């Protein structure tokens, strides 16, 4: 494992290596082997990492404030539910992937204890810097490592982690199937993956209200608070392009996960998927 120097600024990763892509099962029927989506736009796959990076560089400093405002604080309950569902134990090794500003890492660090370890990994250097500074300010330094990593090419040995979580990050990954296979590889036998992500509301009335809020209120809130309405417009669009609950469940099974389940939260606005490696 190659961790980032914790005393220096974390710099951006280069674009992922170009590989032959023969997997056509993921994301959206509109995608081809060379294109993907960025919100509602169709773009070249090689461009997505830098475009998503631009979004999160822009919003990193106001990310926690906006999370509280956008979700009315409910995101804290979703994350608490994820922690409880993880079955984490003292001594476990946990990978908080796309961990951003470290909300899950903070709690995992306390639960795994001195004998355990939590790796906060994110592809975006600005988010990772904000997360590292926030956790250090809380005095959480003993059992946390920081690694800048692309979910599609995780820089860890096979069978390393007891638990991998990815909260509100999978929808921003270019090749979700590849990321799920990479996660499967670094999990220990008996280990589990938890994916917390925005999903499809269960009821049409809620879905309509959610659409109105996402496309009319959220970008204005982003402009007012984070001075960046366009990034929050992208975030709303990226949610709509993310696979629904059943589709993501099948994708996890195709990557090798077993006993795969999901639990809808807040009427399906968010879903927690869970799968095991045996």
């Amino acid at each position: 494992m190659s961790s980032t120097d914790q005393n220096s600024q974390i710099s951006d990763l280069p674009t992922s290596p170009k590989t032959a892509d023969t997997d056509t099962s993921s994301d959206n029927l509109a995608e081809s082997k060379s294109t993907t989506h960025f919100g509602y736009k169709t773009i070249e796959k090689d461009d997505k990492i830098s475009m998503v990076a631009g979004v999160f560089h822009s919003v990193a400093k106001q990310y926690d404030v906006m999370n509280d405002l956008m979700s009315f604080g409910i995101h804290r309950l979703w994350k608490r539910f994820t922690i409880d569902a993880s079955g984490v134990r003292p001594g476990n090794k946990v990978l908080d992937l796309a961990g951003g500003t470290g909300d899950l890492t903070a709690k995992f660090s306390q639960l795994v204890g001195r004998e355990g370890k939590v790796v906060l990994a994110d592809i975006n250097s600005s988010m990772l810097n904000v997360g590292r500074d926030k956790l250090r300010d809380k005095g959480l330094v003993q059992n946390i490592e920081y690694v800048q990593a692309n979910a599609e090419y995780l820089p860890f040995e096979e069978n390393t982690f007891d638990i991998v979580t990815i909260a509100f990050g999978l929808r921003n990954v270019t090749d979700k199937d590849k990321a799920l296979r990479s996660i499967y590889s670094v999990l220990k036998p008996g280990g589990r993956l938890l994916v917390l992500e925005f999903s499809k509301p269960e009821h049409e009335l809620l879905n309509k209200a959610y659409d109105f809020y996402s496309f009319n209120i959220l970008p204005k809130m982003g402009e007012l608070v984070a001075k960046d309405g366009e990034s929050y417009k992208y975030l709303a669009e990226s949610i709509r392009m993310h696979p629904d609950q059943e589709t993501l469940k099948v994708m996890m099974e195709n990557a090798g996960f077993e006993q795969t389940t999901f639990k809808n939260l807040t009427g399906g606005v968010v879903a927690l998927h869970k799968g095991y490696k045996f």
Side-chain angles (χ1 to χ4, degrees), residues 23-39:
D23 188 346
T24 59
S25 64
S26 68
D27 292 358
N28 191 281
L29 293 176
E31 294 185 3
S32 72
K33 292 180 180 179
S34 62
T35 62
T36 188
H37 56 76
F38 178 78

Side-chain angles (χ1 to χ4, degrees), residues 5-217:
D5 181 358
Q6 298 179 20
N7 296 313
S8 63
Q9 286 294 103
I10 301 164
S11 58
D12 283 324
L13 286 176
T15 301
S16 305
K18 297 181 180 179
T19 58
D21 187 353
T22 58
D23 188 346
T24 59
S25 64
S26 68
D27 292 358
N28 191 281
L29 293 176
E31 294 185 3
S32 72
K33 292 180 180 179
S34 62
T35 62
T36 188
H37 56 76
F38 178 78
Y40 289 158
K41 299 176 183 176
T42 299
I43 62 170
E44 294 296 315
K45 281 188 173 181
D46 289 344
D47 294 335
K48 183 164 182 175
I49 288 179
S50 61
M51 294 176 72
V52 171
V55 169
F56 284 94
H57 284 315
S58 176
V59 305
K61 290 183 178 180
Q62 297 297 328
Y63 189 76
D64 286 339
V65 172
M66 283 296 295
N67 274 352
D68 281 330
L69 290 174
M70 288 187 301
S71 71
F72 307 101
I74 299 174
H75 76 99
R76 298 178 183 275
L77 299 179
W78 297 332
K79 291 170 181 174
R80 178 73 255 185
F81 185 86
T82 301
I83 296 286
D84 291 343
S86 72
V88 65
R89 296 288 184 270
N92 279 170
K93 292 184 178 179
V94 179
L95 172 60
D96 182 12
L97 185 57
T101 58
D103 285 347
L104 292 180
T105 292
K107 189 60 179 177
F108 277 131
S109 172
Q110 296 168 357
L111 293 173
V112 301
R114 292 187 176 182
E115 300 303 316
K117 179 186 293 184
V118 185
V119 177
L120 172 56
D122 201 289
I123 195 172
N124 187 273
S125 59
S126 295
M127 295 290 287
L128 205 55
N129 282 323
V130 171
R132 180 188 60 189
D133 292 345
K134 184 174 79 172
L135 295 178
R136 285 179 172 179
D137 288 344
K138 291 181 177 181
L140 299 173
V141 297
Q142 296 297 322
N143 59 0
I144 301 174
E145 293 184 1
Y146 302 88
V147 177
Q148 190 176 4
N150 184 335
E152 298 174 26
Y153 309 96
L154 292 174
F156 310 107
E157 295 182 1
E158 293 184 2
N159 307 320
T160 296
F161 297 99
D162 299 286
I163 299 167
V164 176
T165 59
I166 179 166
F168 306 114
L170 186 60
R171 72 181 188 279
N172 297 309
V173 174
T174 303
D175 191 329
K176 297 173 181 60
D177 292 306
K178 187 178 291 184
L180 289 170
R181 293 193 297 268
S182 184
I183 292 168
Y184 185 87
S185 175
V186 302
L187 274 170
K188 296 177 181 178
R192 51 226 175 261
L193 165 66
L194 295 99
V195 181
L196 181 67
E197 189 55 87
F198 292 107
S199 199
K200 183 174 178 58
E202 298 173 275
H203 305 293
E204 186 58 28
L205 186 60
L206 177 59
N207 194 45
K208 289 181 178 179
Y210 185 45
D211 278 349
F212 179 83
Y213 171 76
S214 298
F215 293 106
N216 293 278
I217 307 300

